[in-house]
Amino acid sequence: MASEFTDYDQQDPLNDSMSTTDDESVKSAKRFWYAVQVASGCEKKVKSTIEQRLHTLDVADRIFRIEIPQTPIIKIKKDGSRQTIEEKVFPGYVLIQVRAQQSPDTGEWQIDDEAWQVIKNTPNVINFVGAEQRRSTGRGRGHVKPMPLSAAEVDRIFRKVQEQEPVHRIDLNSGDKIKVLSGPFKDFEGEVIEVSPERSKLKALLSIFGRETPVELEVNQVEKEG
């Protein structure tokens, strides 16, 4: 499938206009992807809020991309019509590409502090994946700065989205009891034994002349019972 996730390099050096600055910390900066856990059903709201804050808080040079990996689902309705929707690959999570600097002491890449503050203080954000909570000095709890996703993890996630073929989905499964609504077997009842979503067809065992006989039917010819 065609995908918007065509440029997901884990460690892109920042653009030339930034790398020519006299600020040594910016010269050594790179872009890394981080996974952020958010409240259920709030993925798009979090993305929209952070995108607005890029400009209002002037952090567009620190937070680069916010993505919600999705895959196409083709839902086949009872009337046989098809509806294509996007389903989240990781419900409850948002991927964010953020600037990071290399620590002169440990050599580890650490998320930009200002970007970190903006993201973790966004409504409906729960925490960064890999950022364990710890007791801070005094009252309350603090947050350990998160580790970025590895290059292998990023590659696996985005390739899965790029290569995923549309999934056909019908609200019928093997073992379901059905009643035939039209055609030569109208009013017959039976049990689904096979579903072919991509063809909008199913096979069911119908009792014909006292014997259970497999019959192929269109999805829009039946209704699920019970």
Side-chain angles (χ1 to χ4, degrees):
M1 60 166 284
S3 172
E4 61 185 298
F5 305 117
T6 55
D7 178 18
Y8 56 86
D9 189 7
Q10 167 72 331
Q11 301 178 12
D12 293 337
L14 299 184
N15 61 48
D16 292 340
S17 63
M18 295 183 68
S19 62
T20 55
T21 180
D22 292 333
D23 187 339
E24 291 299 324
S25 65
V26 173
K27 283 184 179 181
S28 62
K30 289 185 179 180
R31 305 180 186 197
F32 284 85
W33 286 97
Y34 294 82
V36 178
Q37 185 181 10
V38 304
S40 178
C42 293
E43 297 89 351
K44 290 184 178 180
K45 185 180 295 184
V46 167
K47 177 179 179 180
S48 176
T49 301
I50 295 176
E51 287 175 339
Q52 291 173 8
R53 291 183 169 192
L54 294 183
H55 306 289
T56 58
L57 299 178
D58 193 25
V59 290
D61 61 340
R62 300 169 187 272
I63 300 173
F64 305 103
R65 293 173 61 186
I66 306 103
E67 302 288 3
I68 305 170
Q70 299 182 106
T71 187
I73 302 292
I74 298 175
K75 296 183 70 173
I76 301 175
K77 301 180 180 180
K78 288 183 178 180
D79 62 2
S81 63
R82 301 185 177 206
Q83 177 188 15
T84 300
I85 62 173
E86 294 291 329
E87 187 172 272
K88 300 176 186 68
V89 178
F90 303 106
Y93 293 89
V94 174
L95 302 184
I96 306 179
Q97 192 183 48
V98 184
R99 188 173 106 181
Q101 286 94 23
Q102 193 170 26
S103 168
D105 299 322
T106 65
E108 293 181 348
W109 289 95
Q110 297 181 343
I111 189 170
D112 178 87
D113 188 67
E114 190 171 345
W116 178 53
Q117 294 292 335
V118 168
I119 295 168
K120 76 185 185 74
N121 290 319
T122 297
N124 298 304
V125 165
I126 296 173
N127 203 0
F128 281 80
V129 173
E132 297 179 356
Q133 289 188 327
R134 60 174 171 79
R135 179 68 63 183
S136 62
T137 56
R139 294 184 176 182
R141 297 179 67 86
H143 291 268
V144 176
K145 284 191 176 182
M147 295 294 292
L149 297 175
S150 69
E153 288 174 313
V154 174
D155 184 73
R156 177 178 58 82
I157 291 169
F158 286 109
R159 285 193 185 280
K160 178 179 180 180
V161 175
Q162 289 176 345
E163 298 170 359
Q164 178 69 54
E165 294 296 327
V167 175
H168 293 73
R169 185 170 294 168
I170 296 176
D171 187 25
L172 286 169
N173 298 288
S174 295
D176 285 347
K177 303 297 183 182
I178 54 110
K179 180 178 181 179
V180 182
L181 302 177
S182 62
F185 300 106
K186 182 179 179 181
D187 294 329
F188 277 69
E189 296 180 348
E191 180 179 316
V192 177
I193 58 173
E194 183 181 322
V195 180
S196 300
E198 67 283 353
R199 297 171 54 228
S200 299
K201 294 180 181 290
L202 60 85
K203 284 185 180 179
L205 287 178
L206 304 182
S207 180
I208 302 174
F209 303 121
R211 295 185 178 183
E212 288 193 332
T213 305
V215 175
E216 186 173 75
L217 301 163
E218 299 283 345
V219 170
N220 60 0
Q221 286 184 281
V222 306
E223 69 175 3
K224 184 163 64 173
E225 294 191 319

